[in-house]
Amino acid sequence: MTIAEMVELLVGGLAIGCIYSLIALGLSIIIRATGVLNFAQGEVVMLGAMFGLATYRLVPLPFPALFVAGALFAGVMAVIIELLIYRTLRVRRVPMVNIVISTIAMSILLQNGAQLVWGSEPIAYPRLFALEGLQLGPVRVAPQLVWIVVLALGMMLALQLFLRFTRAGLSVQAVAQDPEAAQLMGINLTRAVASTYGIAGILGGAAGVLLGSMFYASFNMGFLPGIKAFVAATLGGLGSIGGAMLGGIVFGLIETFTATSISTAYKDAVGMVLLIVILLVLPQGFAGAMRRGR
Amino acid sequence: MSALLQISGLAKRFGGLVATDNISMTVAHGQVRGVIGPNGAGKTTLLSLIGGTMQPSEGSIVFDGLEVSASPTHRRAAMGIGRTFQNIKLFDSMSVLRNVMVGSHLRGRAGIWGAMLCLPSAAAEERRLRDEALAALQTVGLLALAEVEAGSLSYGQKRLLEIARAMASTPQLLLLDEPAAGLNPTEAVALTQLIKRISESGVTIILVEHHMDVIMSTCSQISVLNYGKLLAEGSPSEVQNNEQVVEAYLGRPGLEERLAAYA
Amino acid sequence: MSEPVARVSPFAIAALLAGLLALLTLPLFLGKYHLHIVSSAMIFSIAAVALQLLLGFTGLLSLGQAAFLGVGAYTSGLLATGLKLPFELTIVAAGLLSGLSSLILVPILRLKGTYLGVATLGFTIIVHLVILNEEWLTHGSLGLMGIPRPSIGPWLLRSPAAAYYLYLSILGAACFVAYRLVIGRFGRALSAIMLNEDAAQASGINVTLYKAQAFVVSAVITGIAGALYAHHTQYLNPNDFSLWRSIEILLMVSVGGIGSIGGAVIGAFVVMLLPEALRFAAEYRMLIFALLLIVLMGLGQNGIAGLCVSAARAVSRRASFDPGRLERRELAE
Ligand SMILES: Nc1ncnc2c1ncn2[C@@H]1O[C@H](COP(=O)(O)OP(=O)(O)O)[C@@H](O)[C@H]1O
Ligand SMILES: [Mg+2]
């Protein structure tokens, strides 16, 4: 492998890894805030991709605008689902398992709903990027990948800023730490949890547009990336924000490098073997290891 | 009396924090050994090291003539170390009786095959374990509540149930971690009686406790821990008059009242 | 996740008998197609009971059940088509091989909660890809065809009803084994592990050993269910054993009620048959299915079994006033 090929692969792995990171971040903040493992996060990703596409058909905007539109739509959908379904269940004080199972039901619902609306066939994304690669010295990189990495990292940065410096972000953090104490401090729990789902939806929807632009959009496109992001979030340490980012990127790189150097057919399998090995060494993922190290 | 438990140079570090530091201690057969010390002194850590829930960073634990510091918890339980937990750890959704029957796990042998093949020996054993558990409940005075869910017991009853469960394995050494915490005075007196009875039946006890009445009326020897170190050791009166011990308690603001309460 | 109660209420006995009677007479009322579907539900009930043993009685979340199902199905299918071995042999081999494959995973049983779920999920993905890609062995995505119907000795169970009774008796055996394993000393150790691992260990329970035993038994039962599936459908496709299958089995257990063996059977029937029953709704049927699932979860009970228990309680509370119970409750408080 030449250096140039290496770099190309690296950027490709980084791009897909960033997408996993975005989805994993959404999963992680929901787990932190409510303890719920959201099986429907992958479907939110699909919604983002579909809405991005729908927007383009309405008004052929440039890619960053589609990105924002898809993310926002998915965020709104996530909030609606939270308020309509999960919140209703929480208010009724159903056991946690019931909420997790209802997210599986939600995943079934959204997939089948999307199939009704958009059909079963994969829908190609419009060509939004220049085809010839960006020449950086001896290295040639597809502009699309650069865009994906830049936009994804931008989202992650925005998330950090939001969580640290805005009132809404701080209340999301407070609820994640201790819901009861947060409520005593006058934080509106309903609003904080809804914003958590909203942020997770925005992150997922953004990932959806990026994923769609790389491949295509289809009603079941979210399932596998959702599962992989779930694995990435676990690798990072469930509920850890840094862990989810790191886990996603590591997982994307592993997948890309095994696909080219070991086997395309087994690229997912290699990732899973590594996952199991890593969990054997670090039973609570990267974040658990960092906590222990401190 | 020979030594049942011999600890030497025992240390446990959590990162930079030294929870127990070079502790050596010998506990004779049949003794009731009190362990006192301010919060964070390392008492619970010491019990966990003996019981096996934590692995020591250094040092050795010899129980009944065998080095056990590398053995897993369940093996130590099989050798005769039983314990209760400071933050009560019951099987909340099980009945009181079933909790105790888990405690008598080691008194049975029926395994996966006995269960699947419905061996008559397994059924007979089950009846025996049940009777023994009921007897154990009688000793701690919880017999009437045998069928109640353990999670719905009062705090004091939970503490008693933990002791009954630990006793159900007929241990040689019983580790009690603040059994009187949260008990009202009447309950504390009953607990003292219970500890005495257990001791009289020949069980060696290590008792971690803040409640001085309980300590003073049950223990023959007391070890004082402070900042993970063994500060003093001796009979109750020796320890009470030890300057260092008094200082350790008085030296920390807010503890004066507690010491006064003990007196 | 409550512990199993040794004393059985009259309601439970009545329900059990009624259910048994229904299952025994079902072939009399059903046509060929419906019997086929019900038979599939029966086979998945076996797999659900096996997961219940882990999730409901040991507290282990396994998303690896599809892998064990697949190992069992392909073992039996390949031995029957390739080596022409008899059904009685291939089904035993399926159980054994599935059990053996679960031994590889024993080291990961020390992972907690979702972490274990994710690691076993990884195992399902690995096995699925092996089945998909090792075409020389499994015929890959073409699928494995021509698997013979189940037979016992000289009798080929040609009639769907005969096969149905075979599945029913194996389901009965699986329920019996599961029931025996969750009562008594063994089952107590399992629930102790589920409820508090530290306390279980301090009581002398070898947590690793017991978890491993439960895990292997569950894998063996699931492998046998896989073998039945192979001979029932007579055709295997790798996608029958994708991760989605594991999630589906998890759904069965949660819909039926976590911690109840009968619940697992009911859950499997509901998850398998409800979409069939909703066929009239055409392409909307999965939407309706999902909505019903959410409504069931929203009732806040532990699945259908939980619903039945609280209904039975409400009825018996009205039917009889038991002063003894009140007294007991007061004592508890
Ligand atoms: N699992 C642990 N990880 C990190 N520190 C611990 C852990 N357990 C105990 N410690 C620390 O060790 C010290 C001794 O704790 P402990 O043995 O519980 O004290 P005691 O029971 O005497 O109150 C404390 O400073 C405590 O914070
Ligand atoms: Mg303590």
Side-chain angles (χ1 to χ4, degrees):
Chain A
M1 215 187 290
T2 66
I3 299 281
E5 280 168 345
M6 267 300 261
V7 174
E8 223 181 297
L9 267 185
L10 200 68
V11 177
L14 205 60
I16 192 79
C18 281
I19 294 178
Y20 293 153
S21 290
L22 288 179
I23 312 173
L25 274 170
L27 283 170
S28 240
I29 59 171
I30 292 176
I31 287 183
R32 249 160 56 113
T34 62
V36 167
L37 186 61
N38 183 11
F39 275 92
Q41 181 73 359
E43 277 54 55
V44 173
V45 172
M46 176 269 294
L47 288 180
M50 290 297 189
F51 281 131
L53 201 57
T55 310
Y56 182 82
R57 290 196 173 152
L58 224 59
V59 210
L61 296 170
F63 186 65
L66 294 186
F67 177 77
V68 172
L72 284 182
F73 273 124
V76 170
M77 281 303 285
V79 172
I80 292 175
I81 294 169
E82 145 65 16
L83 291 178
L84 218 58
I85 313 263
Y86 306 145
R87 176 166 177 275
T88 314
L89 265 64
R90 253 200 327 278
V91 169
R92 297 176 55 91
R93 301 195 172 280
V94 310
M96 183 72 79
V97 211
N98 289 30
I99 300 186
V100 176
I101 298 299
S102 74
T103 70
I104 297 181
M106 213 51 230
S107 157
I108 299 175
L109 191 84
L110 291 174
Q111 268 194 43
N112 284 276
Q115 195 176 12
L116 285 178
V117 177
W118 289 294
S120 313
E121 293 302 313
I123 312 168
Y125 246 67
R127 227 190 67 208
L128 297 161
F129 306 97
L131 274 184
E132 67 246 40
L134 249 74
Q135 195 76 35
L136 304 164
V139 184
R140 183 182 284 272
V141 195
Q144 180 180 19
L145 297 183
V146 178
W147 267 114
I148 289 176
V149 174
V150 169
L151 287 175
L153 290 178
M155 282 298 274
M156 292 183 218
L157 184 69
L159 175 70
Q160 291 292 342
L161 295 177
F162 171 79
L163 288 179
R164 296 229 173 123
F165 299 111
T166 66
R167 207 184 141 71
L170 287 173
S171 64
V172 165
Q173 295 262 63
V175 168
Q177 304 259 308
D178 185 343
E180 277 170 23
Q183 255 179 316
L184 288 179
M185 280 156 50
I187 288 171
N188 181 335
L189 194 63
T190 304
R191 197 179 301 158
V193 175
S195 345
T196 306
Y197 272 91
I199 298 160
I202 290 174
L203 294 167
V209 179
L210 297 181
L211 205 60
S213 75
M214 251 174 126
F215 306 105
Y216 51 82
S218 90
F219 74 99
N220 60 2
M221 67 179 283
F223 181 70
L224 210 52
I227 293 297
K228 286 180 183 173
F230 175 28
V231 170
T234 311
L235 209 57
L238 288 168
S240 151
I241 293 197
M245 290 200 283
L246 188 63
I249 290 173
V250 167
F251 202 74
L253 287 174
I254 290 174
E255 191 180 286
T256 309
F257 276 90
T258 45
T260 47
S261 57
I262 302 179
S263 140
T264 324
Y266 280 114
K267 74 173 168 115
D268 291 347
V270 173
M272 294 304 157
V273 170
L274 284 174
L275 160 83
I276 293 175
V277 171
I278 292 175
L279 283 183
L280 274 177
V281 183
L282 312 170
Q284 308 213 2
F286 300 144
M290 282 186 276
R291 268 198 304 277
R292 235 180 339 166
R294 237 188 277 140
Chain B
M1 282 207 291
S2 57
L4 176 63
L5 179 74
Q6 189 144 25
I7 294 169
S8 36
L10 204 59
K12 176 69 184 176
R13 284 182 285 273
F14 296 108
L17 186 120
V18 187
T20 67
D21 190 2
N22 194 22
I23 292 185
S24 299
M25 182 186 287
T26 303
V27 180
H29 272 287
Q31 198 181 42
V32 180
R33 163 67 58 105
V35 176
I36 61 172
N39 276 328
K43 307 180 295 294
T44 299
T45 304
L46 178 64
L47 289 196
S48 298
L49 290 171
I50 299 172
T53 8
M54 287 179 185
Q55 301 300 314
S57 314
E58 266 166 46
S60 85
I61 304 167
V62 175
F63 175 74
D64 208 10
L66 290 171
E67 170 64 51
V68 296
S69 52
S71 315
T73 306
H74 67 89
R75 191 143 326 130
R76 293 193 214 188
M79 293 173 71
I81 303 182
R83 79 170 288 188
T84 68
F85 296 89
Q86 180 178 353
N87 49 342
I88 302 174
K89 293 187 177 179
L90 287 174
F91 309 115
D92 279 342
S93 62
M94 287 189 194
S95 71
V96 166
L97 175 65
R98 207 163 141 98
N99 263 276
V100 181
M101 287 177 78
V102 172
S104 48
H105 181 80
L106 289 163
R107 313 249 317 133
R109 304 175 41 98
I112 190 165
W113 295 111
M116 277 201 284
L117 305 175
C118 310
L119 297 182
S121 60
E125 176 187 289
E126 189 70 4
R127 278 192 296 278
R128 175 173 62 81
L129 292 183
R130 196 183 153 82
D131 292 343
E132 286 180 6
L134 288 171
L137 282 176
Q138 176 124 51
T139 355
V140 300
L142 290 177
L143 188 57
L145 300 172
E147 295 300 332
V148 166
E149 247 188 33
S152 65
L153 294 183
S154 77
Y155 199 75
Q157 289 166 337
K158 285 184 179 173
R159 290 250 176 240
L160 289 177
L161 178 54
E162 263 216 321
I163 297 178
R165 184 179 66 191
M167 285 305 294
S169 62
T170 55
Q172 291 189 68
L173 173 66
L174 179 63
L175 311 172
L176 297 174
D177 200 347
E178 304 199 17
L183 300 197
N184 63 37
T186 334
E187 289 173 324
V189 171
L191 177 76
T192 311
Q193 297 306 321
L194 178 63
I195 293 174
K196 279 184 179 160
R197 257 183 294 149
I198 292 174
S199 167
E200 278 157 18
S201 71
V203 178
T204 310
I205 298 174
I206 299 183
L207 171 64
V208 169
E209 193 45 77
H210 281 308
H211 213 290
M212 282 302 155
D213 288 344
V214 179
I215 288 275
M216 291 304 167
S217 53
T218 53
C219 299
S220 47
Q221 284 269 312
I222 296 174
S223 305
V224 186
L225 292 190
N226 195 23
Y227 292 114
K229 287 203 171 63
L230 192 60
L231 191 68
E233 197 169 62
S235 69
S237 57
E238 282 168 4
V239 166
Q240 261 175 325
N241 297 324
N242 184 312
E243 267 174 39
Q244 273 182 303
V245 174
V246 175
E247 199 176 310
Y249 273 91
L250 291 178
R252 307 185 61 176
L255 283 166
E256 287 151 58
E257 299 94 301
R258 190 174 326 130
L259 195 68
Y262 293 155
Chain C
M1 287 183 216
S2 70
E3 56 139 355
V5 185
R7 249 180 298 103
V8 187
S9 79
F11 287 103
I13 294 176
L16 202 69
L17 286 180
L20 204 61
L21 193 69
L23 286 177
L24 279 173
T25 53
L26 214 49
L28 300 178
F29 308 117
L30 290 181
K32 202 171 166 201
Y33 173 72
H34 286 117
L35 198 56
H36 184 85
I37 310 266
V38 171
S39 295
S40 303
M42 191 96 70
I43 292 169
F44 280 104
S45 304
I46 301 173
V49 168
L51 177 61
Q52 188 68 279
L53 196 57
L54 295 182
L55 186 64
F57 296 101
T58 321
L60 298 176
L61 171 61
S62 167
L63 288 173
Q65 302 305 97
F68 301 131
L69 203 67
V71 170
Y74 271 89
T75 303
S76 196
L78 286 169
L79 290 178
T81 52
L83 300 182
K84 307 270 182 261
L85 289 184
F87 173 74
E88 305 88 312
L89 223 62
T90 61
I91 189 172
V92 171
L96 285 181
L97 210 68
S98 176
L100 275 180
S101 70
S102 74
L103 279 178
I104 309 171
L105 292 185
V106 164
I108 67 167
L109 292 179
R110 67 197 179 89
L111 297 178
K112 303 266 186 297
T114 310
Y115 290 94
L116 178 63
V118 172
T120 49
L121 171 159
F123 182 65
T124 294
I125 292 183
I126 294 168
V127 170
H128 179 213
L129 285 176
V130 169
I131 295 177
L132 196 62
N133 290 310
E134 298 307 309
E135 290 170 2
W136 59 274
L137 182 66
T138 63
H139 303 247
S141 54
L142 270 181
L144 185 59
M145 274 169 281
I147 303 168
R149 289 192 146 278
S151 59
I152 298 175
W155 304 293
L156 182 66
L157 303 182
R158 208 183 302 275
S159 94
Y164 172 89
Y165 285 115
L166 171 74
Y167 309 144
L168 180 59
S169 30
I170 293 183
L171 171 62
C175 288
F176 179 76
V177 166
Y179 175 71
R180 292 295 311 175
L181 287 183
V182 302
I183 59 164
R185 180 173 178 267
F186 188 84
R188 223 164 25 239
L190 295 187
S191 16
I193 291 170
M194 170 166 87
L195 296 175
N196 195 321
E197 225 174 285
D198 284 342
Q201 255 166 346
S203 300
I205 293 167
N206 184 344
V207 169
T208 320
L209 178 70
Y210 274 82
K211 278 184 182 173
Q213 285 179 328
F215 198 62
V216 172
V217 170
S218 172
V220 169
I221 296 176
T222 310
I224 290 173
L228 292 181
Y229 179 79
H231 294 266
H232 176 61
T233 59
Q234 299 185 271
Y235 165 76
L236 294 176
N237 185 294
N239 293 337
D240 292 341
F241 310 104
S242 69
L243 177 61
W244 179 247
R245 186 65 86 189
S246 280
I247 296 178
E248 203 174 45
I249 300 174
L250 176 67
L251 271 186
M252 293 172 184
V253 170
S254 341
V255 163
I258 292 170
S260 151
I261 296 171
V265 176
I266 296 173
F269 271 82
V270 169
V271 171
M272 294 297 292
L273 300 184
L274 190 55
E276 283 302 321
L278 292 171
R279 256 184 200 285
F280 68 89
E283 66 264 43
Y284 295 98
R285 69 187 176 125
M286 287 315 281
L287 291 182
I288 299 176
F289 174 75
L291 283 175
L292 287 176
L293 202 57
I294 293 173
V295 170
L296 175 67
M297 291 299 125
L299 292 177
Q301 296 292 339
N302 179 13
I304 296 172
L307 269 181
C308 294
V309 168
S310 23
R313 252 190 222 144
V315 170
S316 69
R317 201 173 297 146
R318 209 164 298 164
S320 74
F321 177 74
D322 168 13
R325 186 205 330 246
L326 262 184
E327 199 175 326
R328 278 198 297 280
R329 188 166 304 153
E330 268 161 27
L331 275 172
E333 276 157 15

